[in-house]
Amino acid sequence: MTVVREEARQTVFPIATTEVHVVAATARESNTNTITPPRAKRAQVARACQRCRRLQKACSDSRPCQRCVRAGLTSECSGLPVRVRFPPRASSQALGFRKTPPRVHEGAASLNTTVPPLFVNPDLPTSPQTFTSFARESFERKADLLPPRLVDYCSGRFFERLAPTIPILTPEYVASLKTRAVSETEAYCVLLGLCAMVALQVEDPKDKFFGQFITAESNYAYGWLLLEEALAAHRHLTRRSTPSLDSVLLVFFIYACHACLFHHSQAFFFLREAATLLILVKPENMDDLSRLLAERLFWVLLISERSHAIRYRRPITLQVMTNGFGLSFPTDNDHSLAGFRCLAALFRGLDTNFIALLNQETVSRMVPHDSLNEVEMAINIALNHSCPSDLLPTQNANLRVTQLWLRIVLWQLRLHLGHLSEQSTQSSRTYHYPLEVAKDLAVSTRVLPVHSIQVHGVGITEKLFDIACAVVNVLARVPVQMSKTAAEDDLKYIRRLILQLPGGLTVYDALLLKHVQQTLPTMVAGLEV
């Protein structure tokens, strides 16, 4: 196909170019004595307001814009876009290695999951610039956008729902941020990012809880406004050669908000920026509390970067021992961090060599069958770093789903390398292994409250989606020794769970059904819930 396209380019383009030159030459000859002044370029703004966008008219940078002011409709002048952009139809080709929209590898084994997720939430507004362009020449705080009562509420919700998995703040540090926010823009921006993340990831998106603090149509609308404000501030903050912990925290919260909004390209951009800033941090200049939080933030970024690298074929930059980080955390005996230690253990062994192998960067040599044994062992024993009674439901949910997802990732890699065999004595090296993973997933998550899974956002939905697609492929192509009805029941349970999670109803359930319909049409009726 590539050869045909190249030949077509070589044939068509010269002809088209010749015709263009002939027409241009004729036009020059006919207009020799006519000089037309160049037309002035129309001024454009980064983002039109709601009314001008609907009318498809020119807008201005100010809010309310000049057109709405002249029409006496300042109340309709909003910076939020009104149209929802839907991505191109996703392919459910079942022969790719992994779900990676930019690169699709054909010819790999047909059992791999390949339905690329749609990185957009139809319930949320999107913009062509997706928060990367702002017309402000300077940053000034908006009055009453972040009242103290709202900061207290959001920080409390953070420690209640998110801190067990993302322990990058303490009540003492938040109190310091509140004090310094009066005079320091960076501290104020960290509070902006914190509240935006809580509004977008923790609270019910359609609820109007924040309406009692500030005028907002919904929790998501308020989170959106906070994110826009944080991004505008981030653009105008002074860049320093030695970043502070606050600057890294701000960029991390912006990354987390983009991930909640399905802006995965922007999320990776800010994730990489946060990792770069952390590398430039000087731990020796920090006080004890800041040094402790920087250590935890290092592990959060390492986990996020490696998880992102696995799903979207990205490289990794953070390594254990980067800038002196990664040493003291495993010896931390704080029982509240038991789940966090286990999560770090899950990803610690997924180093540069593993990511390179997963991204097919080292395919010129034969990979020994036992080369992945250490990685598999590290994944299997990662949860042994804590007593189950020490884990909160939110920690348990994230750990179990992530561990089972990584087992599927490792299974897919072995499938690609040709390391699977039905004669193997280890179930993880057989073709039907995803069915065992699905059964384990159903057993381990049935006893957990749904909200303990929902709080982890769309990332955990994507992991369940990966597992479900692997199960579908196995049922369609591998003779199953175990009860096929039991496997279908587990798949149906996973689908019901996905429907209750962020992005499940709007994105991933439709993709899963489409994959089932194209891979195993006879199962569609049996998956009705």
Side-chain angles (χ1 to χ4, degrees):
M1 183 65 69
T2 303
V3 176
V4 174
R5 289 176 179 172
E6 290 296 330
E7 293 176 355
R9 292 193 190 101
Q10 296 173 4
T11 303
V12 175
F13 287 175
I15 297 176
T17 304
T18 303
E19 292 177 352
V20 170
H21 286 313
V22 171
V23 173
T26 305
R28 284 196 300 268
E29 293 175 0
S30 61
N31 297 325
T32 303
N33 299 323
T34 302
I35 300 177
T36 303
R39 186 173 56 182
K41 184 177 180 181
R42 182 172 63 88
Q44 295 182 347
V45 297
R47 295 177 61 192
C49 73
Q50 176 177 340
R51 180 170 174 271
C52 292
R53 179 183 289 270
R54 184 173 64 249
L55 297 176
Q56 297 183 355
K57 298 293 185 180
C59 191
S60 59
D61 290 336
S62 59
R63 289 293 180 272
C65 71
Q66 298 177 6
R67 183 179 299 277
C68 292
V69 171
R70 290 195 299 267
L73 299 173
T74 58
S75 60
E76 295 187 17
C77 188
S78 170
L80 295 178
V82 297
R83 288 193 305 170
V84 177
R85 297 190 309 150
F86 292 93
R89 296 182 60 183
S91 171
S92 58
Q93 175 79 16
L95 296 179
F97 175 51
R98 288 199 305 5
K99 298 182 292 301
T100 309
R103 296 169 57 190
V104 179
H105 294 266
E106 299 181 357
S110 60
L111 290 177
N112 291 318
T113 305
T114 60
V115 185
L118 302 183
F119 304 141
V120 66
N121 188 341
D123 290 339
L124 302 177
T126 59
S127 65
Q129 290 78 22
T130 51
F131 301 115
T132 57
S133 178
F134 292 89
R136 299 189 192 181
E137 296 181 357
S138 61
F139 172 75
E140 294 182 2
R141 304 185 189 188
K142 290 184 178 180
D144 301 326
L145 179 64
L146 200 64
R149 288 187 303 164
L150 191 142
V151 175
D152 294 338
Y153 172 81
C154 289
S155 59
R157 292 289 281 172
F158 175 85
F159 290 120
E160 176 188 353
R161 304 297 299 276
L162 297 176
T165 307
I166 315 174
I168 57 176
L169 293 176
T170 62
E172 296 79 11
Y173 197 82
V174 172
S176 172
L177 288 173
K178 294 177 184 177
T179 303
R180 292 186 286 114
V182 178
S183 57
E184 298 180 14
T185 302
E186 206 167 51
Y188 171 75
C189 292
V190 174
L191 294 177
L192 274 177
L194 169 65
C195 295
M197 182 180 181
V198 170
L200 293 172
Q201 183 164 334
V202 177
E203 303 300 326
D204 184 350
K206 298 181 180 179
D207 194 13
K208 299 182 180 180
F209 172 79
F210 292 108
Q212 60 183 303
F213 301 102
I214 190 172
T215 303
E217 297 179 358
S218 64
N219 292 340
Y220 252 128
Y222 181 61
W224 186 276
L225 292 175
L226 291 178
L227 177 57
E228 279 197 316
E229 188 74 359
L231 281 163
H234 170 263
R235 181 184 180 187
H236 293 287
L237 285 176
T238 303
R239 301 298 190 265
R240 293 175 290 185
S241 59
T242 304
S244 65
L245 176 61
D246 288 348
S247 62
V248 188
L249 286 171
L250 169 61
V251 178
F252 171 78
F253 284 130
I254 293 176
Y255 149 72
C257 291
H258 275 304
C260 294
L261 294 169
F262 291 71
H263 300 160
H264 288 273
S265 296
Q266 287 73 27
F268 178 74
F269 173 84
F270 286 101
L271 175 61
R272 180 55 60 85
E273 180 179 346
T276 303
L277 291 175
L278 190 64
I279 293 174
L280 298 176
V281 164
K282 293 188 179 299
E284 61 273 12
N285 297 337
M286 293 181 172
D287 57 74
D288 292 340
L289 179 58
S290 298
R291 179 69 170 81
L292 174 65
L293 294 181
E295 179 79 22
R296 297 179 183 178
L297 181 57
F298 163 79
W299 284 103
V300 171
L301 290 174
L302 182 140
I303 293 167
S304 302
E305 185 184 51
R306 297 188 179 188
S307 179
H308 205 99
I310 291 172
R311 283 197 54 82
Y312 309 116
R313 291 183 178 272
R314 301 287 193 179
I316 61 176
T317 57
L318 290 179
Q319 305 292 337
V320 178
M321 300 284 294
T322 296
N323 202 11
F325 294 117
L327 291 177
S328 60
F329 175 71
T331 61
D332 195 330
N333 294 321
D334 188 350
H335 292 293
S336 65
L337 297 177
F340 190 41
R341 277 197 299 273
C342 295
L343 192 61
L346 277 172
F347 286 90
R348 183 167 187 168
L350 308 181
D351 56 10
T352 304
N353 294 330
F354 178 82
I355 298 299
L357 188 62
L358 197 65
N359 291 344
Q360 304 181 34
E361 298 173 5
T362 56
V363 295
S364 59
R365 57 182 177 83
M366 293 295 296
V367 180
H369 282 62
D370 59 352
S371 60
L372 300 174
N373 288 356
E374 292 185 6
V375 175
E376 181 179 16
M377 179 64 68
I379 293 174
N380 290 338
I381 68 173
L383 272 59
N384 297 341
H385 288 261
S386 67
C387 176
S389 59
D390 294 337
L391 299 178
L392 298 174
T394 54
Q395 294 174 320
N396 204 357
N398 188 34
L399 288 173
R400 289 299 296 155
V401 173
T402 302
Q403 183 187 50
L404 295 174
W405 172 66
L406 288 177
R407 288 176 178 174
I408 290 293
V409 170
L410 191 60
W411 175 85
Q412 290 177 329
L413 179 56
R414 280 182 167 146
L415 173 63
H416 173 73
L417 297 174
H419 292 178
L420 300 184
S421 173
E422 281 302 305
Q423 285 71 41
S424 176
T425 57
Q426 295 180 336
S427 61
S428 61
R429 301 187 183 186
T430 61
Y431 291 104
H432 64 270
Y433 181 61
L435 304 184
E436 297 184 18
V437 172
K439 184 175 182 62
D440 194 1
L441 174 66
V443 171
S444 58
T445 56
R446 286 183 193 274
V447 297
L448 296 173
V450 176
H451 68 80
S452 67
I453 308 176
Q454 292 172 334
V455 73
H456 299 291
V458 68
I460 207 164
T461 313
E462 293 175 342
K463 294 171 183 177
L464 292 172
F465 174 79
D466 289 350
I467 297 174
C469 288
V471 172
V472 171
N473 291 332
V474 169
L475 290 175
R477 296 175 175 86
V478 177
V480 180
Q481 301 294 334
M482 60 185 295
S483 173
K484 191 169 184 178
T485 303
E488 292 178 353
D489 290 342
D490 294 335
L491 182 61
K492 187 175 182 179
Y493 166 78
I494 296 175
R495 187 200 169 195
R496 287 199 303 268
L497 186 57
I498 289 176
L499 283 170
Q500 302 176 70
L501 301 181
L505 182 63
T506 57
V507 177
Y508 293 99
D509 182 61
L511 286 175
L512 179 59
L513 288 180
K514 184 175 181 179
H515 183 55
V516 173
Q517 186 175 14
Q518 295 185 354
T519 308
L520 196 61
T522 57
M523 189 190 295
V524 175
L527 288 180
E528 294 298 327
V529 294

